[in-house]
Amino acid sequence: MTDEAPAPAKPAQPRNPLHGLTLEAIVTALAEHYGWEQLGELVPLRCFTFEPSVGSSLKFLRKTPWAREKVESLYLFMLRDQRRQQQQQQTPR
């Protein structure tokens, strides 16, 4: 009989940047980064262009899978762009 502690569980999706993020966090981050006006231009959805709010966006995106995919795709693009900018700032010229 051994009293070993169980091995720590590995994250289910360690390389998925969306894993563990709520849709609310994604929409909020996009709205803060781009602003509602530019967000409505990048992803032309009425919830971003006409009286935009996080609540109305969440309501629409939860019901519309194709729109949610577009928003998640833009979020991933934003993350890649931010990483690229950070790397350029760290690299001495």
Side-chain angles (χ1 to χ4, degrees), residues 18-28 58 62 68 72:
L18 296 177
H19 183 70
L21 276 179
T22 63
L23 185 57
E24 182 177 6
I26 292 171
V27 171
T28 302
L58 293 176
R62 286 183 179 133
R68 182 178 182 146
E72 289 174 347

Side-chain angles (χ1 to χ4, degrees), residues 10-17 19:
K10 293 182 181 177
Q13 300 178 17
R15 299 188 60 83
N16 181 355
H19 183 70

Side-chain angles (χ1 to χ4, degrees), residues 5-77:
K10 293 182 181 177
Q13 300 178 17
R15 299 188 60 83
N16 181 355
L18 296 177
H19 183 70
L21 276 179
T22 63
L23 185 57
E24 182 177 6
I26 292 171
V27 171
T28 302
L30 288 171
E32 288 176 1
H33 183 75
Y34 292 111
W36 288 111
E37 188 174 328
Q38 188 177 8
L39 186 56
E41 292 172 8
L42 294 169
V43 184
L45 300 173
R46 192 168 195 271
C47 64
F48 294 154
T49 58
F50 182 74
E51 296 182 14
S53 71
V54 173
S56 68
S57 300
L58 293 176
K59 189 173 182 178
F60 176 74
L61 294 171
R62 286 183 179 133
K63 295 179 184 178
T64 318
W66 62 265
R68 182 178 182 146
E69 287 178 20
K70 287 182 180 258
V71 169
E72 289 174 347
S73 176
L74 179 61
Y75 180 77
L76 293 174
F77 174 80

